[in-house]
Structures are given as C-alpha cells and as structure tokens.
Amino acid sequence: ILEFNAVRAASISCCKMTDTVAIIGYSGPDSDGYCSAITYNGSTTISLTDTYEFQDADTISEVSVTTVYGHATSGKISVFYMISTGYIYAQILNWTGSNITANTAATAIYTKASVTSITTTLLSGSISSASIIVSYVTGLNIYAKHVSWSGGVITPHIAATNGGVLLLSGPCAT
C-alpha cells in the first residue's frame, strides 16, 4: 500500500501512462489540485515518483484525468477540474519519465452554471493534439462538450444551435 498524500486526497481520478506508471489527479491539501505519478516496479513495489500542483489558487472539488499520449518520457495528460465557483477548467500536463510539468495554462471550459460532476473520454490523442469529450451535470441536466488541444491551445467547441451541448437530458422517468 502506498500513501501518496498523507494530508488529504479527495475527488480522485486515475489513468494509465505506461505499463508501469499511473497518473492520479486529486484535490489535495487546502483543496488545491494535484497530479501524482505512481510507478510499479513490475513485481511487488509501487512508489511515488512525482507530485505536481496544477492549481493552487482555487478550491478544487472535482478532478478527471485522461492519458492523451501514453509514453515513457514524453507523455501527455489532460486534467479537467472544477473550481470553487462550480466552473470547469482544463490543462494539458507533460510526463517526462520522472516529473509532471505544465504544458498549457488553465483554460475555461464551462462557466455558465455550477457543475456537480465531471468525466472525460479521449476520442483521439497524440504527442501534440487531442480530441476529448467532457461530460458534466448541472442541476438535472447532463451535458457533453467537445474539447480539442492542438499547438499548445485548448479549445472548447461551441455549437451555434445549442451552446456547445451535445447531450441534454432532463429528469429520469420513474
């Protein structure tokens, strides 16, 4: 058992970087946003390789990490997170083989209403670009939005007819 944060870890999300490295995104001490790299030696030992604080200015209450490009020394990670306002932001991080570093600054993805849940799904990804679906809940509605990353820029795509919403669902019938 590995304790990767002895103070606080909430809203945990995990993704595979390589066959021996996992990335864990979470809300940590002071509700700041962190990503940690956990390495498995191939037989019996897991260890904490690195921890990177991706957001220290706001209260992080939801985190979703996805491997954009799995690679031992030049991996890419997307991290989508909700700050204290309930809005969604995203960043792309680098995996160097020993450290997690920033690739992009934080980009606002959704700022119209408070969100209660975030999940992400990678549609396609490479060392320099990605296509990601972020789904989230506001009130009784479920939304899905397309987000791309290319040339160091994260772009939330807005559809002219529905404000960027790909899926809208009301209350479930009982």
Side-chain angles (χ1 to χ4, degrees):
I1 296 176
L2 173 67
E3 183 176 52
F4 62 91
N5 191 307
V7 178
R8 178 184 189 271
S11 299
I12 296 171
S13 177
C14 187
C15 64
K16 173 185 172 181
M17 178 52 62
T18 68
D19 287 344
T20 59
V21 177
I23 304 296
I24 301 174
Y26 59 97
S27 175
D30 299 323
S31 296
D32 293 347
Y34 293 88
C35 278
S36 291
I38 307 299
T39 302
Y40 171 60
N41 74 351
S43 62
T44 60
T45 305
I46 59 174
S47 59
L48 177 63
T49 306
D50 188 43
T51 297
Y52 174 73
E53 186 175 11
F54 63 83
Q55 180 60 269
D56 67 358
D58 295 296
T59 302
I60 304 298
S61 58
E62 292 279 338
V63 177
S64 181
V65 294
T66 304
T67 302
V68 169
Y69 180 70
H71 192 273
T73 59
S74 58
K76 304 296 180 207
I77 308 147
S78 73
V79 58
F80 285 71
Y81 53 93
M82 185 174 70
I83 64 171
S84 59
T85 58
Y87 298 163
I88 301 172
Y89 285 79
Q91 289 178 259
I92 300 295
L93 305 177
N94 302 311
W95 168 245
T96 67
S98 58
N99 297 99
I100 300 168
T101 62
N103 181 290
T104 66
T107 300
I109 301 300
Y110 182 79
T111 59
K112 292 183 181 180
S114 184
V115 173
T116 58
S117 179
I118 303 169
T119 59
T120 52
T121 301
L122 180 71
L123 298 177
S124 64
S126 71
I127 195 167
S128 60
S129 66
S131 180
I132 301 165
I133 296 293
V134 57
S135 58
Y136 49 94
V137 177
T138 63
L140 297 175
N141 297 317
I142 302 167
Y143 297 83
K145 189 173 206 172
H146 177 242
V147 177
S148 63
W149 165 66
S150 182
V153 177
I154 298 172
T155 306
H157 297 278
I158 306 297
T161 58
N162 63 3
V165 175
L166 299 176
L167 172 69
L168 175 61
S169 176
C172 296
T174 55

